[in-house]
Amino acid sequence: QVTLKESGPVLVKPTETLTLTCTVSGFSLTDTRMGVSWIRQPPGKGLKWLAHIFSSDEKSYRTSLKTRLTISQDTSKSQVVLTMTNVDPMDTATYYCARVTGSWLTPDAFDIWGQGTVVTVSS
Amino acid sequence: DIEMTQSPSSLSASVGDRVTITCRASESISSYLNWYQKKPGKAPKFLIYAASTLQSGVPSRFSGSGSGTDFTLTISSLQPEDFATYYCQEGYSTQLTFGGGTKVEIK
């Protein structure tokens, strides 16, 4: 059974760095046919893709957030980590990690999702 | 970046109704279009890929169609568990943009 689980802080102060971890099971981060993405949903708003990483360690970022995001993976721990610097209350959202099919050049669909983790940015 | 526009943004329907949701891409995305169902407090559920192929386990009352820039998601007979928000998502670019969502509410 394929599962993904997010973990991280519930509350972060403005200007701090947010670090989220996605722990996967049931598939390998070295599988060339898929990768892991981060997606978020602010309260009352829609879904926004943030970043993804594939087995080749190739990465892509949302253009508007590229300077603030870093995605990395530790295949030995089956974990994908997303860091977001200089957070703002506008970054308050539920953050999901999801398995993404395809390849780095041709990513496609998010077929399996984690349960999500709620992050609030407030002083 | 490709923009994905869904319409309507919300609709009210009754159990048993046929419901159609439209998704339009700002440029041609061939058939690289996926659909998800989102309920409050739950993770999105992957419904349809490649515009018209049902993900395993998805009821056959769901169907998708379209190519190029115009796509539709149809629920042939709305069931109580189908009340949710539906999102389209393009799988053509590297930015993987979602539509704004369509909330299906009980009439």
Side-chain angles (χ1 to χ4, degrees), chain B:
Chain B
D1 292 356
I2 297 173
E3 293 182 9
M4 305 298 293
T5 303
Q6 285 184 238
S7 62
S9 57
S10 67
L11 65 90
S12 296
S14 301
V15 172
D17 284 353
R18 181 182 182 88
V19 168
T20 298
I21 298 167
T22 297
C23 177
R24 176 165 289 175
S26 60
E27 62 184 79
S28 177
I29 58 171
S30 185
S31 294
Y32 292 95
L33 192 283
N34 308 305
W35 289 98
Y36 303 85
Q37 177 191 67
K38 176 75 170 69
K39 295 181 179 180
K42 301 289 187 182
K45 178 183 178 181
F46 184 35
L47 295 177
I48 289 172
Y49 61 96
S52 61
T53 305
L54 252 59
Q55 175 71 342
S56 176
V58 174
S60 59
R61 63 180 179 273
F62 290 92
S63 64
S65 65
S67 66
T69 61
D70 294 316
F71 303 86
T72 59
L73 171 70
T74 299
I75 308 172
S76 60
S77 178
L78 199 64
Q79 297 302 298
E81 60 268 31
D82 300 336
F83 291 96
T85 300
Y86 293 84
Y87 292 90
C88 62
Q89 171 252 320
E90 59 87 7
Y92 187 79
S93 77
T94 58
Q95 293 287 295
L96 301 179
T97 305
F98 289 90
T102 297
K103 187 174 184 179
V104 177
E105 299 175 297
I106 301 173
K107 181 183 281 186

